[in-house]
Amino acid sequence: MGNKQSNLSIVSKNLQSLYATAVCCQKVNGDQEALSYYIQALNQILLIYHATPDIDQLHYDTVRNLSDIYIRQYDITRANRFVGYALQLAYKSEEKNKIFKCLDRLGEIKRLEGDYDGALLDHGKSLEIKLEIYANEGLDISDSYCNIGKIYNDQGKYYDAICIYEKSLKINSLILGNNHLAIATTYNNIASVYVHQGKYDEAACMYEKSLKIKLSRLGDNNPMLATTYNNFGNIYCEQGKYDKAINMYEKSLKLDLSILGYNHPTIAITYNNMLKAYIHQGKYDNAVIMYEKSLKINLLTLDNNHPSVATTYSNMASVYCDQCKHDKAISKYEESLRIYLPILGHNHPSIATTYNNIGLVYCDQGKYDNAISMYKKSLKINLSTFGNNHPKIATTYNNIANVYSYQGVYDYAISLYEKSLKIELSTFGNNHPKIANIYTNIASIYHIYQGKYDAAVTMYEKSLKIRLSTLESNHPSIASAYRKLAGVYDDQGKYDNAVSMYDKSLKIDLSSLGDNHPTVATTYNDMGLVYFHQGKYDNAVNMYEKSLKINLSRLCNNHPTIATTYNNIGMVYFHQGKYDKAICIYEKSLKINLSTFDNNHPTIAATYNNMGLVYSHQGKYDNAVSMYKKSLKIILSVFDNDHPTIATTYNNMGCVYSHQGKYDNAVCMYEKALKINLSTLGDNHPTIATTYCNIGSVYSHQNKYDNAVSMYEKSLKISLSTLGDNHPTVASTYISMGNVYVNLDKYDNAISMYEKSLKVNLSTLGSIHPIIATTYNNIANICFHQGKYDKAISIYEKSLKINLSTLGSNHPAIGITYNSMASVYCNQGKYNNAVTMYEKSLKINLSLLSNYHPIIATTYTNMARVYIDQVMYDNIVCMREKSLKINLSTVCNNHPAFGTTYNNIANVYCDRSKYETAVSMNRKSFKIILLTLGDNHPSIAATYSNMGNIYEHQGKYDNALCMYKKSLRIYLSTYGDNHSTIAATYNNIGLVYCDQGRYDNAVSMYEKSLKIKLSTLGNNHPSIATTYNNIASVYSYQGKYDNAISMYEKSLKINFSTLGNNHPAIATTCRSMVNVHYDLGKYDNIFSMYGKLLQVDLPKLGDNHLAIATTYRSMIGVHCDQGKYDNADSMYEKSLKINLPILGNNHHTIATTYNIIENV
């Protein structure tokens, strides 16, 4: 008996020594090394058949410590097994303190498993035992409150969590005082709840209290301080203060490295946190380094299948996701899932989180069905774990709603947001930032997708109201809310309101974040966009440069955000027509992105797309297509073949082919885009409607107007069903259909479409929006074509009033309206008004565009036409030379627009009688247009017409006829036989026949022209009057004077009713009638015509104009024929008085006048 006791005593001492070694080893070298000693001790204990109380205690302590190690290692199965052994021993000993400690561990295991109800049950049992022992004052009771607080925090029961932590805090303060480490831990716990609530200032306050205690108790070199620094880093990261976050993580790391060494799991956690901060900064190389360091430690110190390894894989997946390496991201998430599933089972919140993350990747890839499948898996787990009223359920509903938004299923998306809202309201009340977030999400649908701007403003204002009441007035979230409102105002064309909101946002951000924060840069960027929309390009560039300055100072020169700002500046240059500058800036952006991302990143593709757009406008179509193909190659390598981004690139290529006149290629591209979008979005999505619109546009260019209308109607049907009848997209489709009807000369139909568009836009955008002004412009253009000049001016003035109030006095849109009004005034013969309008337009364009922009040249050309009508030769020459100088400087070899420029140059040379040069220019034009648009394009027809005009001026009538007939053949094949362009061509052919003396042929052509005009313009249009004039001229040459007079009178009647009594066209007809009456010897009628002629010319030209002198000179001969020599002498003197000061004594006109009077 004595020997047995002696042996047990020796065994007990050996076991205690082994146990002590395990405990010591655990403190010094960590869990993994201690594990082997604990297991050795346990194996020896299990060999003892008759254990003493000391050995039972050792047995209990060993299995309990083993369970703790396995809990930390997330080895739930082993943890459960050993805590079960411990509980059996506890019940055997009937020691309550052992029982509640085991129950606490069981509760923690269940919490880790996501079995929150089971965890609460175990912790509740533990608490009951503790209350029996200690009443309400024991530290163990405080621990139970802490354990229950953790569960409430995990469940999203934040109010309950705070309450229970405060109970713990109260007990600890009474027993331990206010400066104990346990108090610091509780402050940390409360802070973690505030972090989940988004109350970062309150969280920081708790962490500071915790830090103060730790510093006073532990000094400044303890691992517990490192934890607090980490916590501070997490808050800064949430607040977007990434440099501060990194600084905190580095403090934490420095402490941990000095105490724990380089290979401790805590070091890996800090590396993981730094990884997340670097992701937010876009410093992906740094993030990858952190990932590799963290992974190396975890694989070395933990099992390959430890949850911390899974967490590291998940973090790396986030890096890949940000880099758009979607397949790699999915792969990492799946590795993470492979670890989690065996440990946590299929129904754990961490599994749900991983499914959620995979769903986000699928969403980015445009694999919306896959995304929804993942979100539903996540939802199923969370519903079974948390019930149907937990914030995580709300988050998943939000994510699913986002997918439905992208798919265009807006009503269902809103219903899911409302489900989410209901949960969050029940969890957080109606005044919580999360509620504000959901209002923002709903507002985004109204704003971005449905164009319901007023509804969006209402939602954003609800969100703002919550933020203002829950946060300080200077909080970044308030600034964000102002930015959201500004975005709506920008889209509504309420630019001043938008700038006001951005100013409010900027004021907050500058005071709370400083003048060098990325958010401040973002606001400058957004303001730049508003100025860009206002056409205030210099202001826009100024804002972008401010944004750039901040980002360059904060980020490396090679950061993607820098590239984005360069892209924005490039877009401004593009709209200014500074194409070379735009390409230069885009190349800077491209260089950065190529150095930051691999060559296959979507951002690279986007820059290629932008460059393609510039090349397209430069007419460098091959370059443009090359850029789009590069973009396409990248996108195809990143996304599946049926991703919406692929469809977008096909759409862009379709646009280029359309500009090239390669309409079949364009349709092919659009149909590829359509096929993708139909497969991913279904047949009733707004994007499908857009593609139908694009195809309609091509058909319109091809003059396949019936096909175009059919496409627009398909588009309209979808838009009406998905967006409702009151959406800007619907209005845009009406505009497109209206444009087709204009091309068909169906002006009443066109006006009907424009008015429908106007009705929609007035209801959605209000009466003071640039789009309203544009619609008025379209209607005014029709009135102009119909010869309703006063009505056109009235509507242009409406448009002008709107644009001046929304865009300011210096916007390109204002210039366009001035140009349009000038054209009307010119046709009305109000030349001074026309010149004033052109000068206003010119002033705007010169201030916004380069002096050598094609639009400037066009304005000079238009002004020259006015001066032609005013017979102001010096001004004509000046304007034409300015136009010519610009056109010659901007000519590029391969753009149809420059084909038009050569045509314009040719016209100038033709007017100067430099016919050979004119023909040379025309041939250059022909070569470009033929190369880019093919041989059956209306632009080729226009070039043939211009060549015909030159040959006609040269008297090469057969050549002229040949050109006009080539032009006619093309026009007939594209427009049909009842179009205004056909009528104009018949008119040109008629003029040549007339010059050739082939009068019957001429009349036949004029009558064909007249028939078309009567059917398209009605019987009271100035163009009809012109044709009557032309027919009258032929009758005059044929000696059919009565017929001629009848035609001239028809012409006069129309012009009097449409142009008034004082229009130059009246004067032209009167001159022609003078000649007929002269041939008939009807002198009284002649002087009546001269009277009308002077009545028109004198108010317009003044009494000292060469044209007035010409009329007086013409009257001399008539007075002579009547023998009224005194009257003839009076006319001679009037004519000479005007001509001598202007032309001088040596001009041939003076000589002619002297000859006439000598003959008298």
Side-chain angles (χ1 to χ4, degrees):
M1 186 75 175
N3 285 338
K4 189 179 286 188
Q5 285 180 341
S6 175
N7 287 337
L8 277 172
S9 177
I10 294 166
V11 168
S12 177
K13 283 181 182 178
N14 288 338
L15 282 172
Q16 284 173 356
S17 173
L18 195 57
Y19 176 81
T21 303
V23 171
C24 181
C25 188
Q26 190 172 4
K27 286 180 181 177
V28 176
N29 298 322
D31 290 341
Q32 201 62 35
E33 204 168 317
L35 199 59
S36 66
Y37 289 106
Y38 282 127
I39 288 173
Q40 284 179 54
L42 181 61
N43 288 335
Q44 289 188 30
I45 290 167
L46 292 172
L47 293 172
I48 300 170
Y49 292 102
H50 301 287
T52 64
D54 285 345
I55 291 175
D56 279 342
Q57 179 65 44
L58 207 59
H59 189 182
Y60 168 80
D61 289 339
T62 302
V63 291
R64 190 195 65 194
N65 287 351
L66 279 167
S67 73
D68 286 344
I69 290 173
Y70 288 127
I71 286 170
R72 283 193 289 275
Q73 291 185 337
Y74 254 89
D75 191 337
I76 302 300
T77 305
R78 287 193 175 105
N80 254 322
R81 185 193 310 154
F82 285 106
V83 83
Y85 296 156
L87 191 58
Q88 286 173 14
L89 292 166
Y91 280 126
K92 178 183 173 184
S93 71
E94 296 183 346
E95 293 180 50
K96 289 184 177 179
N97 67 326
K98 288 183 179 179
I99 294 169
F100 71 63
K101 285 176 182 176
C102 290
L103 288 170
D104 281 342
R105 281 161 176 79
L106 278 174
E108 177 61 12
I109 290 167
K110 285 176 182 173
R111 186 183 76 83
L112 293 173
E113 287 181 305
D115 179 7
Y116 299 121
D117 292 336
L120 281 173
L121 192 64
D122 286 332
H123 284 305
K125 287 177 182 178
S126 170
L127 182 60
E128 282 176 18
I129 296 169
K130 291 174 185 178
L131 287 167
E132 286 175 16
I133 301 170
Y134 305 112
N136 288 316
E137 295 180 356
L139 290 175
D140 285 320
I141 291 171
S142 172
D143 289 342
S144 280
Y145 286 143
C146 268
N147 291 332
I148 293 167
K150 279 183 186 177
I151 296 167
Y152 285 147
N153 193 12
D154 286 346
Q155 286 183 304
K157 297 176 179 177
Y158 302 124
Y159 175 77
D160 293 341
I162 294 286
C163 287
I164 208 89
Y165 281 138
E166 284 175 348
K167 282 186 177 185
S168 170
L169 189 65
K170 187 177 179 182
I171 293 169
N172 286 338
S173 295
L174 284 170
I175 298 171
L176 304 171
N178 292 329
N179 206 39
H180 193 275
L181 291 175
I183 305 293
T185 301
T186 309
Y187 283 141
N188 260 343
N189 290 336
I190 294 171
S192 73
V193 180
Y194 285 136
V195 168
H196 286 143
Q197 287 182 299
K199 297 178 178 179
Y200 301 120
D201 292 337
E202 288 90 336
C205 178
M206 289 295 118
Y207 284 137
E208 280 166 1
K209 285 184 176 184
S210 172
L211 184 63
K212 187 177 178 182
I213 294 168
K214 288 177 181 178
L215 284 168
S216 70
R217 297 299 300 271
L218 304 170
D220 56 5
N221 203 35
N222 190 283
M224 288 184 75
L225 293 176
T227 303
T228 306
Y229 289 138
N230 244 325
N231 291 335
F232 271 115
N234 293 340
I235 288 179
Y236 288 136
C237 211
E238 290 288 344
Q239 290 180 306
K241 299 174 180 178
Y242 303 121
D243 289 335
K244 281 191 173 183
I246 293 289
N247 180 256
M248 284 293 127
Y249 293 141
E250 285 174 345
K251 275 190 175 184
S252 170
L253 193 62
K254 187 178 178 182
L255 275 175
D256 281 337
L257 286 168
S258 68
I259 297 161
L260 305 173
Y262 285 85
N263 277 336
H264 193 276
T266 303
I267 307 294
I269 290 168
T270 308
Y271 285 140
N272 254 327
N273 289 337
M274 294 175 79
L275 179 155
K276 290 174 189 174
Y278 285 134
I279 289 173
H280 286 299
Q281 287 186 303
K283 296 180 177 177
Y284 301 120
D285 292 340
N286 291 18
V288 169
I289 290 167
M290 291 300 112
Y291 156 73
E292 287 170 349
K293 285 185 175 183
S294 173
L295 187 63
K296 183 180 177 182
I297 293 167
N298 283 331
L299 289 172
L300 188 68
T301 58
L302 307 169
D303 188 84
N304 288 0
N305 283 337
H306 191 276
S308 293
V309 176
T311 301
T312 308
Y313 286 140
S314 280
N315 289 337
M316 191 58 208
S318 297
V319 176
Y320 287 138
C321 203
D322 271 23
Q323 290 181 304
C324 292
K325 297 176 179 177
H326 297 119
D327 291 337
K328 286 188 175 182
I330 294 282
S331 170
K332 287 294 167 190
Y333 281 132
E334 285 174 347
E335 281 191 51
S336 172
L337 205 56
R338 179 186 56 76
I339 294 169
Y340 279 139
L341 282 168
I343 300 170
L344 305 175
H346 289 267
N347 213 36
H348 190 276
S350 293
I351 305 298
T353 301
T354 308
Y355 285 140
N356 207 54
N357 291 337
I358 295 171
L360 290 170
V361 180
Y362 282 137
C363 193
D364 284 344
Q365 286 184 299
K367 297 177 178 178
Y368 299 126
D369 292 338
N370 292 16
I372 286 174
S373 170
M374 288 295 119
Y375 289 142
K376 284 180 176 175
K377 282 186 177 184
S378 174
L379 186 65
K380 186 179 178 182
I381 294 168
N382 285 331
L383 283 168
S384 70
T385 310
F386 300 111
N388 56 10
N389 210 39
H390 188 275
K392 288 198 175 189
I393 307 298
T395 300
T396 308
Y397 283 140
N398 250 327
N399 290 339
I400 296 171
N402 290 341
V403 177
Y404 283 123
S405 291
Y406 300 141
Q407 288 184 306
V409 188
Y410 303 124
D411 292 336
Y412 189 54
I414 286 174
S415 79
L416 289 177
Y417 284 135
E418 286 169 349
K419 274 190 178 184
S420 175
L421 183 64
K422 188 177 177 182
I423 294 168
E424 303 284 29
L425 283 168
S426 70
T427 310
F428 299 109
N430 59 7
N431 213 34
H432 189 275
K434 286 203 172 187
I435 308 300
N437 289 341
I438 297 172
Y439 285 139
T440 297
N441 288 339
I442 294 171
S444 294
I445 289 185
Y446 289 143
H447 171 204
I448 297 165
Y449 299 112
Q450 292 188 310
K452 296 178 179 177
Y453 299 126
D454 292 336
V457 167
T458 301
M459 285 292 131
Y460 282 137
E461 285 175 345
K462 279 188 177 185
S463 173
L464 179 63
K465 186 178 178 183
I466 292 169
R467 296 184 198 282
L468 285 168
S469 68
T470 56
L471 307 168
E472 291 180 9
S473 59
N474 228 22
H475 193 279
S477 291
I478 309 289
S480 173
Y482 284 133
R483 276 197 300 276
K484 296 284 185 186
L485 276 166
V488 183
Y489 288 136
D490 187 19
D491 286 339
Q492 284 184 302
K494 297 177 180 177
Y495 300 124
D496 292 337
N497 290 17
V499 169
S500 169
M501 289 295 112
Y502 282 133
D503 281 338
K504 284 186 177 184
S505 171
L506 191 63
K507 187 178 178 182
I508 292 169
D509 286 335
L510 286 168
S511 68
S512 60
L513 304 173
D515 57 4
N516 212 36
H517 191 274
T519 304
V520 174
T522 299
T523 306
Y524 283 137
N525 207 55
D526 293 340
M527 291 176 82
L529 191 63
V530 178
Y531 287 131
F532 172 67
H533 290 152
Q534 285 183 296
K536 296 178 178 178
Y537 297 129
D538 292 337
N539 290 18
V541 169
N542 181 39
M543 287 296 117
Y544 290 140
E545 285 174 346
K546 282 187 175 184
S547 174
L548 189 64
K549 186 179 177 182
I550 293 169
N551 286 328
L552 282 169
S553 71
R554 287 186 60 263
L555 309 168
C556 57
N557 291 351
N558 264 5
H559 192 276
T561 303
I562 308 295
T564 300
T565 309
Y566 282 138
N567 257 330
N568 291 338
I569 296 170
M571 193 59 70
V572 176
Y573 287 140
F574 166 64
H575 279 270
Q576 286 182 299
K578 298 176 180 178
Y579 299 128
D580 291 336
K581 275 193 172 184
I583 289 291
C584 178
I585 292 292
Y586 285 141
E587 283 174 346
K588 279 189 176 184
S589 172
L590 187 64
K591 186 178 178 182
I592 292 170
N593 284 330
L594 284 168
S595 70
T596 309
F597 305 112
D598 61 29
N599 293 352
N600 266 0
H601 193 276
T603 305
I604 311 290
T607 308
Y608 284 138
N609 254 328
N610 289 339
M611 293 174 78
L613 193 64
V614 178
Y615 285 134
S616 178
H617 276 73
Q618 284 184 301
K620 298 177 179 178
Y621 294 125
D622 292 338
N623 290 18
V625 169
S626 168
M627 289 297 116
Y628 288 136
K629 283 180 177 176
K630 282 185 178 184
S631 172
L632 186 63
K633 185 179 177 183
I634 292 169
I635 293 165
L636 283 168
S637 72
V638 175
F639 302 112
D640 284 347
N641 290 350
D642 60 351
H643 190 275
T645 307
I646 311 287
T648 301
T649 306
Y650 283 137
N651 259 325
N652 290 338
M653 292 177 76
C655 188
V656 174
Y657 286 133
S658 181
H659 282 305
Q660 284 183 296
K662 296 179 178 178
Y663 299 124
D664 293 337
N665 290 17
V667 169
C668 175
M669 289 296 115
Y670 288 138
E671 284 175 347
K672 281 187 176 185
L674 187 64
K675 185 178 177 182
I676 292 169
N677 286 330
L678 284 169
S679 71
T680 55
L681 304 173
D683 58 2
N684 206 39
H685 190 277
T687 303
I688 306 297
T690 301
T691 307
Y692 283 137
C693 261
N694 289 339
I695 296 171
S697 175
V698 176
Y699 286 139
S700 185
H701 285 304
Q702 287 181 300
N703 304 295
K704 297 177 179 178
Y705 296 122
D706 292 338
N707 291 11
V709 169
S710 169
M711 287 295 118
Y712 288 135
E713 284 173 347
K714 280 187 177 184
S715 173
L716 189 63
K717 185 179 177 182
I718 293 169
S719 294
L720 287 169
S721 72
T722 55
L723 305 172
D725 57 2
N726 216 31
H727 191 275
T729 300
V730 173
S732 176
T733 309
Y734 285 138
I735 290 280
S736 297
M737 292 176 79
N739 294 341
V740 174
Y741 288 129
V742 167
N743 287 330
L744 287 168
D745 293 341
K746 294 181 178 179
Y747 297 125
D748 291 338
N749 291 17
I751 284 180
S752 169
M753 289 296 114
Y754 291 145
E755 286 175 346
K756 281 186 177 183
S757 169
L758 190 63
K759 185 180 177 183
V760 173
N761 284 329
L762 282 169
S763 70
T764 55
L765 305 173
S767 58
I768 307 293
H769 191 280
I771 289 177
I772 304 296
T774 301
T775 309
Y776 282 138
N777 257 339
N778 290 337
I779 295 171
N781 290 341
I782 291 176
C783 293
F784 171 61
H785 287 302
Q786 289 180 310
K788 299 174 181 177
Y789 298 128
D790 290 335
K791 190 173 181 181
I793 289 292
S794 169
I795 296 172
Y796 283 135
E797 284 172 347
K798 276 188 178 183
S799 169
L800 191 63
K801 186 178 178 182
I802 293 168
N803 279 335
L804 285 168
S805 70
T806 55
L807 305 174
S809 59
N810 210 40
H811 191 275
I814 308 293
I816 289 168
T817 306
Y818 284 140
N819 246 323
S820 299
M821 292 174 78
S823 297
V824 178
Y825 285 134
C826 191
N827 276 24
Q828 285 185 302
K830 297 178 179 178
Y831 300 122
N832 291 335
N833 291 15
V835 168
T836 300
M837 290 296 119
Y838 281 135
E839 285 173 346
K840 284 185 175 184
S841 172
L842 190 64
K843 185 179 178 183
I844 292 169
N845 288 328
L846 283 169
S847 71
L848 295 173
L849 309 171
S850 69
N851 292 352
Y852 282 86
H853 195 280
I855 288 174
I856 308 294
T858 301
T859 307
Y860 285 137
T861 299
N862 290 338
M863 291 176 78
R865 288 178 187 140
V866 179
Y867 291 134
I868 287 169
D869 287 330
Q870 289 183 296
V871 202
M872 298 171 74
Y873 298 116
D874 291 341
N875 290 15
I876 295 167
V877 171
C878 176
M879 289 300 111
R880 282 179 171 167
E881 283 178 349
K882 283 185 176 183
S883 174
L884 186 64
K885 186 177 179 182
I886 294 169
N887 284 329
L888 287 169
S889 72
T890 56
V891 162
C892 162
N893 287 336
N894 244 354
H895 191 295
F898 291 114
T900 304
T901 301
Y902 277 128
N903 259 330
N904 292 337
I905 296 169
N907 291 337
V908 175
Y909 284 127
C910 183
D911 288 341
R912 292 181 177 185
S913 301
K914 295 182 178 180
Y915 299 123
E916 295 306 323
T917 310
V919 168
S920 169
M921 291 294 114
N922 223 283
R923 283 175 178 158
K924 285 185 178 183
S925 167
F926 182 77
K927 185 178 178 182
I928 291 170
I929 294 170
L930 186 65
L931 182 68
T932 54
L933 302 177
D935 60 0
N936 206 42
H937 193 274
S939 295
I940 291 290
T943 307
Y944 283 137
S945 272
N946 287 336
M947 290 177 79
N949 181 50
I950 296 166
Y951 286 136
E952 188 181 352
H953 276 78
Q954 286 182 294
K956 297 179 179 180
Y957 299 125
D958 290 337
N959 290 12
L961 277 177
C962 176
M963 290 297 115
Y964 285 138
K965 284 176 180 177
K966 282 185 177 184
S967 172
L968 182 64
R969 179 183 55 77
I970 294 169
Y971 283 140
L972 283 168
S973 72
T974 52
Y975 292 119
D977 56 5
N978 203 42
H979 194 272
S980 54
T981 308
I982 307 299
T985 309
Y986 284 140
N987 203 63
N988 291 336
I989 294 171
L991 288 169
V992 177
Y993 282 141
C994 192
D995 287 335
Q996 287 183 306
R998 296 161 69 178
Y999 299 125
D1000 291 338
N1001 291 14
V1003 169
S1004 170
M1005 288 296 115
Y1006 290 143
E1007 285 175 346
K1008 281 186 177 185
S1009 175
L1010 184 65
K1011 185 179 177 182
I1012 293 168
K1013 288 180 180 180
L1014 286 167
S1015 72
T1016 56
L1017 302 173
N1019 56 12
N1020 204 40
H1021 191 278
S1023 186
I1024 307 292
T1026 301
T1027 306
Y1028 284 139
N1029 257 337
N1030 290 339
I1031 294 171
S1033 296
V1034 178
Y1035 286 143
S1036 178
Y1037 294 138
Q1038 288 181 305
K1040 298 177 180 179
Y1041 299 123
D1042 292 337
N1043 291 8
I1045 293 292
S1046 170
M1047 288 295 120
Y1048 282 134
E1049 285 174 347
K1050 281 186 177 184
S1051 172
L1052 271 180
K1053 186 179 178 183
I1054 292 169
N1055 283 334
F1056 277 133
S1057 72
T1058 56
L1059 305 174
N1061 298 340
N1062 215 24
H1063 192 276
I1066 307 292
T1068 300
T1069 306
C1070 288
R1071 280 193 189 89
S1072 299
M1073 291 181 77
V1074 162
N1075 295 331
V1076 177
H1077 287 308
Y1078 186 80
D1079 288 337
L1080 289 170
K1082 295 182 178 179
Y1083 296 114
D1084 292 340
N1085 290 3
I1086 292 170
F1087 285 114
S1088 169
M1089 288 300 113
Y1090 277 135
K1092 286 181 180 178
L1093 184 58
L1094 286 171
Q1095 188 181 348
V1096 173
D1097 284 345
L1098 281 168
K1100 295 271 180 208
L1101 307 174
D1103 55 7
N1104 206 35
H1105 194 278
L1106 293 173
I1108 304 297
T1110 300
T1111 303
Y1112 289 143
R1113 196 168 67 248
S1114 300
M1115 292 172 73
I1116 294 171
V1118 181
H1119 283 306
C1120 286
D1121 286 345
Q1122 288 186 299
K1124 296 178 179 179
Y1125 299 117
D1126 291 340
N1127 290 5
D1129 191 50
S1130 170
M1131 290 301 110
Y1132 158 73
E1133 286 175 355
K1134 284 184 176 184
S1135 171
L1136 206 58
K1137 186 179 178 182
I1138 294 167
N1139 283 333
L1140 277 170
I1142 298 171
L1143 303 175
N1145 290 330
N1146 285 332
H1147 195 274
H1148 67 85
T1149 302
I1150 304 297
T1152 302
T1153 309
Y1154 285 143
N1155 275 335
I1156 291 168
I1157 202 65
E1158 281 174 11
N1159 291 333
V1160 173

